[in-house]
Amino acid sequence: LERLLTYAEIDVTPSNWKRMVRGAIILGSKLWDDQAVWNVDYCQILRELTVEDLNELERQFLELLQFNINVSASVYAKYYFDLRELADTYEHAFPLESLSTERALKLEIVFI
């Protein structure tokens, strides 16, 4: 989302935030999951959207990002630890296990 805001020079508004988050989730899941969810499957959850709507959203999101969807291990780690710290600050559970050095190295190897 941060990259989208920078590249597209747009602001988050009450009328666009859901679309932006949905686009980020769809692309993020396809980038990081070995078995990504198909857009047709998202339509089972997001019943107000059609497959065509999600395909168009994904296309627009990619174009606005200039197809730069790579996330380096250092950027991933930065956000991971920022989210953990935020959860700790507000005493919210962060159920995921800590990112071990071994797991971080595996992620880095996969995405280099």
Side-chain angles (χ1 to χ4, degrees), residues 76-90:
Y76 180 90
K78 174 197 178 305
Y79 285 101
Y80 174 86
F81 289 111
D82 285 349
L83 287 171
R84 287 193 66 87
E85 183 179 330
L86 189 62
D88 289 343
T89 299
Y90 291 97

Side-chain angles (χ1 to χ4, degrees), residues 8-61:
E9 297 180 358
I10 57 176
D11 294 319
V12 179
T13 68
S15 63
N16 70 7
W17 74 269
K18 283 184 184 179
R19 190 165 173 80
M20 292 167 63
V21 171
R22 285 177 181 159
I25 289 170
I26 290 169
L27 287 178
S29 72
K30 290 180 178 183
L31 179 67
W32 285 97
D33 283 342
D34 290 335
Q35 296 178 339
V37 177
W38 292 83
N39 289 353
V40 69
D41 297 322
Y42 281 112
C43 291
Q44 299 298 314
I45 299 166
L46 306 168
R47 295 185 184 268
E48 71 275 12
L49 298 175
T50 66
V51 175
E52 291 77 18
D53 292 334
L54 288 178
N55 290 344
E56 179 65 15
L57 170 61
E58 187 175 5
R59 185 191 61 73
Q60 288 176 352
F61 208 100

